Amino acid sequence: MAEFKLPDVGEGLTEAEIVSWKVKVGEVIEINDIIVEIETAKSLVELPSPFEGTVLALMVAEGEMVAVGTPIISVGSADEADEADEADEADTGAGAAAPQTESDPYLGMAEKAGAEPADLSAMDLSNPAASGGGEGESLVGRNKAERGPQRRARRGSASPSTTAGGQAQMQLQGAFAPGGAQSDEVAPVDEPAVPTTSAAPVAAPDPAEALVPDRVQSPRDVRALAKPPVRKFAKDRGVDLSTVTGSGADGVITRADVEAAVGMSPQYAGNPSEVAASTEPGALREWREPIKGVRKMMAQAMSHSAFTSPHVTEWITLDVSATMEFVAGLKKRREFKDVKVSPLLVLARAVTLAMRRTPAINSYWDDAAQEVVFKSYVNLGIAAATPRGLVVPNIKDADQLSMLDLAGALTALAATAREGRTQPAEMTGGTFTITNVGVFGVDAGTPIINPGESAILCFGAIRKQPWVVGEAIVARDVTTLALSFDHRHIDGESGSRFLADVAGILEDPGTALLF
């Protein structure tokens, strides 16, 4: 048996969240098959398997944060899988006479020495033996409604019998087995022996109903079917699962069912720790979301940059009508039919060209060494808003790409970011960033510089506005650019020259030939 430990898929990764498993217990996998999707502080990453064989156990549940180096899955041969199944069956048989207790879904997991949660979706929901017989290991409340609630027989409820050695042992005959069917097996228990000469009458076995406490006699009181993560999700929101109708297989309650019960849209599916009372049923006035993953990384990076780099922001408003005409012409060209052509493409090209005259823009301040590090390459970052937070993937060596190649790179970058598939390597090593707030209809802003860089350019919305052309006022395409830069080593003259050069190319794309 081999255990796959969570690897460090990025620079300095310490933990990650298990988003979804791509395999199930008992499934046969090969080397490099995708087994799990995790979320790091930078992106979603799919992990391939370094082993081949049969999945023996999924050792971490979906939604859990685990540290790097933690075993998350075990893989072995088919023989080992069979041995594991036999061991589970043996454990179930040995534990049939043990009293069943109610417990927290996670408590059963923690009490099992060395055991980790298995794949819950592959278990027989009606039979505790399928999950090792422990309450809370799979779906809590496994009893099916049509059978009614069931409990194991209590010790001492059967009549005594005498062994060959003259010692009496209590025997459970016809006790209800975990699966609901009767069993003729005899399980000894260490109760005090009753002498065979006792005049006490032999007690008749209690009926099945008598073995169940009054508080769970009603079918409504049978514990709802839900996986531990869903049960915790409901508990955090104060949702009573007995009032929720499950939409999953066999009536299993899903995360979406809980969200619907509290009137929460899936886009707010965080882990609020408390929900305030509402004036209307099903409406939320407050909720909380944990700061983790990309959002946590962004918050730390922006806080560090804002309070360590002295930011200066300069603005310029310009007529980009010529750029709009240039973009329209590119769209008609056959070689650009499979890529997206937009004003952002022209701006990206203008930035790489303008850096040739102002190399300080493409540098960064090394505070530890008290040096300015200049770079002869441009890894152009494009800030992208995603459902998981703001990410800034960059195009490697963007200054060496042709206009067509740059357009293809921008198209691929945007598509990958929207799908949440940007890899950590694509978000490291950036040298300059463009943030396009114009797509939201915003004119401009004062962006914060990404750590490891010295400047960031904000691209505002392009609008039809009155503009003075010669002696006339005409409608033109107008936009605003805002450049934030590190004033420790980029002075006003350098920042202004760079911004003016970029604006000049957008006003007249033909001037790019001068660089």
Side-chain angles (χ1 to χ4, degrees):
M1 181 180 66
E3 291 183 346
F4 178 38
K5 298 179 180 180
L6 180 67
D8 181 357
V9 296
E11 297 179 1
L13 177 68
T14 59
E15 62 180 5
E17 178 184 351
I18 303 299
V19 176
S20 63
W21 285 104
K22 304 300 183 182
V23 296
K24 297 186 294 186
V25 173
E27 183 175 337
V28 177
I29 60 175
E30 297 181 356
I31 294 176
N32 290 331
D33 281 354
I34 300 299
I35 56 175
V36 67
E37 183 179 55
I38 65 172
E39 180 176 6
T40 71
K42 295 183 178 180
S43 65
L44 289 175
V45 180
E46 292 182 335
L47 297 182
S49 172
F51 310 113
E52 63 179 5
T54 302
V55 177
L56 301 181
L58 305 181
M59 308 172 75
V60 179
E62 292 180 355
E64 287 191 14
M65 293 292 296
V66 294
V68 169
T70 302
I72 59 175
I73 184 175
S74 62
V75 180
S77 64
D79 292 339
E80 289 174 318
D82 293 338
E83 292 175 1
D85 292 338
E86 293 174 358
D88 288 342
E89 294 174 0
D91 291 342
T92 303
Q100 182 178 3
T101 59
E102 298 286 344
S103 65
D104 183 83
Y106 292 103
L107 188 57
M109 296 181 186
E111 290 177 347
K112 291 185 66 180
E116 298 292 342
D119 181 23
L120 304 177
S121 62
M123 294 180 180
D124 180 3
L125 306 184
S126 65
N127 186 1
S131 62
E135 180 68 16
E137 288 177 338
S138 60
L139 299 178
V140 181
R142 290 176 288 260
N143 300 319
K144 292 189 176 179
E146 59 268 20
R147 296 193 207 169
Q150 298 160 5
R151 293 284 297 271
R152 293 187 180 95
R154 293 173 293 188
R155 295 191 292 182
S157 62
S159 60
S161 65
T162 307
T163 63
Q167 294 181 343
Q169 289 184 325
M170 299 296 292
Q171 297 177 341
L172 301 180
Q173 298 180 348
F176 281 81
Q182 285 193 339
S183 169
D184 294 328
E185 295 180 359
V186 177
V189 293
D190 50 356
E191 294 282 347
V194 180
T196 56
T197 58
S198 174
V202 177
D206 294 336
E209 291 79 3
L211 301 179
V212 184
D214 294 337
R215 64 184 179 86
V216 295
Q217 289 286 345
S218 170
R220 183 184 180 277
D221 292 332
V222 177
R223 298 188 73 189
L225 293 172
K227 295 180 180 179
V230 176
R231 188 169 294 280
K232 183 177 185 300
F233 184 75
K235 181 180 179 181
D236 291 342
R237 288 155 181 75
V239 175
D240 183 0
L241 290 180
S242 66
T243 64
V244 180
T245 301
S247 62
D250 296 325
V252 175
I253 296 174
T254 66
R255 187 186 183 99
D257 296 331
V258 177
E259 291 167 351
V262 295
M264 182 186 293
S265 170
Q267 69 183 19
Y268 299 117
N271 286 313
S273 59
E274 60 184 59
V275 179
S278 171
T279 56
E280 298 180 4
L284 289 178
R285 292 167 65 89
E286 291 185 8
W287 63 87
R288 299 193 181 198
E289 295 182 0
I291 307 299
K292 62 181 182 179
V294 172
R295 296 184 187 277
K296 182 176 182 180
M297 181 75 172
M298 177 189 68
Q300 294 173 344
M302 293 299 98
S303 297
H304 179 268
S305 178
F307 294 103
T308 56
S309 302
H311 285 53
V312 171
T313 303
E314 293 186 345
W315 309 65
I316 186 170
T317 301
L318 61 149
D319 175 7
V320 291
S321 300
T323 290
M324 299 304 290
E325 295 174 0
F326 180 64
V327 168
L330 288 180
K331 290 180 179 179
K332 296 178 182 179
R333 297 184 65 88
R334 181 176 57 187
E335 58 265 40
F336 284 87
K337 66 178 181 178
D338 295 328
V339 296
K340 182 178 180 180
V341 178
S342 69
L344 179 61
L345 171 62
V346 182
L347 177 63
R349 183 67 169 174
V351 164
T352 61
L353 293 174
M355 285 180 181
R356 296 178 182 178
R357 288 185 28 164
T358 315
I361 295 294
N362 197 47
S363 65
Y364 80 93
W365 178 280
D366 186 343
D367 194 56
Q370 288 296 293
E371 295 174 344
V372 176
V373 181
F374 291 84
K375 299 182 179 180
S376 60
Y377 59 91
V378 180
N379 289 346
L380 184 61
I382 305 295
T386 72
R388 298 172 51 249
L390 180 69
V391 297
V392 189
N394 60 77
I395 301 172
K396 309 299 183 185
D397 297 314
D399 57 316
Q400 301 299 318
L401 300 179
S402 66
M403 183 71 82
L404 178 59
D405 292 337
L406 185 58
L410 284 171
T411 301
L413 179 148
T416 303
R418 281 195 301 268
E419 296 171 358
R421 304 295 177 183
T422 305
Q423 298 302 301
E426 298 172 313
M427 291 187 285
T428 58
T431 63
F432 183 87
T433 297
I434 296 175
T435 177
N436 184 10
V437 300
V439 296
F440 305 107
V442 176
D443 292 329
T446 55
I448 299 177
I449 304 167
N450 281 326
E453 302 176 10
S454 291
I456 181 172
L457 183 64
C458 180
F459 187 21
I462 299 177
R463 307 179 188 277
K464 286 287 186 180
Q465 296 184 22
W467 197 260
V468 177
V469 179
E471 298 296 327
I473 298 178
V474 297
R476 304 290 286 179
D477 293 309
V478 177
T479 192
T480 299
L481 302 178
L483 177 71
S484 293
F485 53 89
D486 188 341
H487 210 3
R488 287 178 296 183
H489 65 290
I490 300 177
D491 55 29
E493 187 271 338
S494 297
S496 299
R497 182 173 63 244
F498 173 79
L499 187 59
D501 285 344
V502 172
I505 296 175
L506 293 182
E507 288 178 325
D508 182 6
T511 59
L513 297 174
L514 302 176
F515 289 86

